[in-house]
Amino acid sequence: MTLYIEYVILDNLVVDYMLFKLISITTKFKLYKKNLFFACLIGVLSAVFLPYVLKYNYLSVIYRLLSACLMVLVLTKYKSFRLYFFNLGLLLVYTFLFGGMFMFMLTLLKIKYTISGAILYDLEIPISVFLIIVLIGGWLLKKIIYKLSNQIKFNNLTCSIKLVDNNVETEGVGLMDSGNLICHNGHAVNIISSDMFFRLYKDYSVNKFLFRNIDKSKLKDASYIDIESLEKSSKYLMFRIDKFVCDGRVFENTYVAVTLKNFKNFDCIVNSKLLGGGAWNLI
């Protein structure tokens, strides 16, 4: 069988990348790109020059062991010899496993192969192409599952809300957050975005809002309060509205505080006291 150098390089790059990533996941160390690059480079170079030492049995074994030792050495900074030899052992174990997987793939695809110090196969494209497809497919599947999982969690924590004041109303999405325990004189305070505020009060100036120069006389029981946990700026405009509706449940004369930022995918952080949780009072 003809041995193509580009096949050797691509196959070893892909397999070495998978091996080193698997080792880093197993031992939970941070794998830097620079270390990964040099480890893969050593793996590729050792594979390229391997045919020159294959005819010497003992020398080829020593050559491979030294290559493995060097690859593991540059993989990360070690605090102990124990971790180094553990990673070296993992590399040898995973290499055998990948070799078996490689042979299984070749057999499954009915590709002729021989083992002569290395796995040689008869195929017009590198077998690593299939591994790359598997890697990309796995990565995409992980992203999709992660996104769907987050979306399900988000949907379980959201509710439809409506703010009503002076016969004007606006609707949005509320996030039921157990972390919002803010109260004023025993009343729950919901945090709304500035965008929702301006939808409810279209006559107010953005500049006056930003510089805290709003005419508070037009708002019920309006004042500025300190909420340190939300943003660097600690002052928030708080006032009372006629109605706060959460999933059909109506709460009258409810307090809201306006944050300068706009939330992503929702408009309001609903106070947990409305959901039956505890609360702490603002002083």
Side-chain angles (χ1 to χ4, degrees), residues 6-263:
E6 58 270 21
Y7 284 24
V8 173
I9 292 173
L10 185 58
D11 285 347
N12 278 273
L13 269 177
V14 174
V15 172
D16 287 343
Y17 172 83
M18 294 175 72
L19 286 171
F20 298 142
K21 289 292 287 186
L22 193 57
I23 291 172
S24 70
I25 292 171
T26 304
T27 55
K28 297 179 181 179
F29 70 87
K30 189 172 182 180
L31 183 57
Y32 293 98
K33 291 180 181 179
K34 181 177 68 174
N35 299 74
L36 180 61
F37 170 78
F38 283 113
C40 289
L41 180 63
I42 294 169
V44 169
L45 290 175
S46 65
V48 169
F49 291 104
L50 180 62
Y52 297 102
V53 297
L54 278 178
K55 56 184 178 180
Y56 308 104
N57 293 331
Y58 293 109
L59 182 60
S60 65
V61 173
I62 296 172
Y63 176 81
R64 294 182 187 189
L65 285 175
L66 287 175
S67 298
C69 290
L70 190 57
M71 284 188 288
V72 174
L73 184 63
V74 302
L75 203 55
T76 186
K77 291 182 179 179
Y78 295 98
K79 295 181 179 180
S80 65
F81 286 107
R82 182 181 177 182
L83 181 58
Y84 169 76
F85 285 111
F86 184 74
N87 282 354
L88 181 60
L90 282 178
L91 178 62
L92 297 177
V93 171
Y94 289 154
T95 299
F96 282 116
L97 292 175
F98 267 72
M101 184 185 70
F102 223 69
M103 294 169 62
F104 174 75
M105 288 180 62
L106 293 172
T107 304
L108 190 66
L109 297 171
K110 297 181 179 180
I111 300 170
K112 294 181 180 179
Y113 68 90
T114 58
I115 301 175
S116 180
I119 301 175
L120 305 176
Y121 56 88
D122 187 15
L123 189 63
E124 294 182 357
I125 59 173
I127 194 68
S128 54
V129 171
F130 297 100
L131 293 177
I132 292 172
I133 293 172
V134 171
L135 279 174
I136 294 174
W139 178 79
L140 288 174
L141 183 61
K142 180 182 175 182
K143 289 287 185 182
I144 292 170
I145 292 173
Y146 179 77
K147 189 171 183 180
L148 287 175
S149 176
N150 282 347
Q151 188 62 46
I152 292 171
K153 290 179 182 178
F154 180 76
N155 290 340
N156 290 335
L157 293 173
T158 56
C159 58
S160 60
I161 62 169
K162 182 192 294 185
L163 273 59
V164 183
D165 196 40
N166 298 323
N167 297 320
V168 179
E169 63 181 51
T170 183
E171 296 182 352
V173 177
L175 178 67
M176 297 180 286
D177 184 11
S178 60
N180 180 11
L181 304 174
I182 303 165
C183 277
H184 177 68
N185 294 332
H187 298 281
V189 179
N190 302 299
I191 311 299
I192 65 171
S193 65
S194 57
D195 179 65
M196 194 168 204
F197 173 81
F198 287 114
R199 295 205 307 265
L200 190 62
Y201 304 100
K202 295 182 172 63
D203 296 333
Y204 279 85
S205 166
V206 176
N207 290 331
K208 287 186 177 181
F209 175 80
L210 292 174
F211 289 100
R212 301 189 180 97
N213 194 25
I214 282 182
D215 183 4
K216 294 187 290 184
S217 64
K218 296 181 180 180
L219 301 172
K220 303 179 188 72
D221 198 11
S223 62
Y224 284 97
I225 60 173
D226 292 320
I227 305 177
E228 297 180 359
S229 60
L230 287 180
E231 298 170 356
K232 292 180 180 179
S233 177
S234 59
K235 293 290 184 181
Y236 295 85
L237 176 65
M238 183 191 69
F239 55 95
R240 187 163 41 86
I241 60 175
D242 295 335
K243 291 181 182 179
F244 183 89
V245 184
C246 178
D247 276 347
R249 297 172 61 188
V250 180
F251 303 90
E252 297 185 350
N253 296 316
T254 305
Y255 283 94
V256 295
V258 187
T259 175
L260 292 175
K261 66 179 181 181
N262 290 314
F263 303 118

Side-chain angles (χ1 to χ4, degrees), residues 268-282:
C268 171
I269 301 177
V270 181
N271 194 292
S272 64
K273 187 177 180 182
L274 295 179
L275 313 175
W280 52 271
N281 269 301
L282 289 170

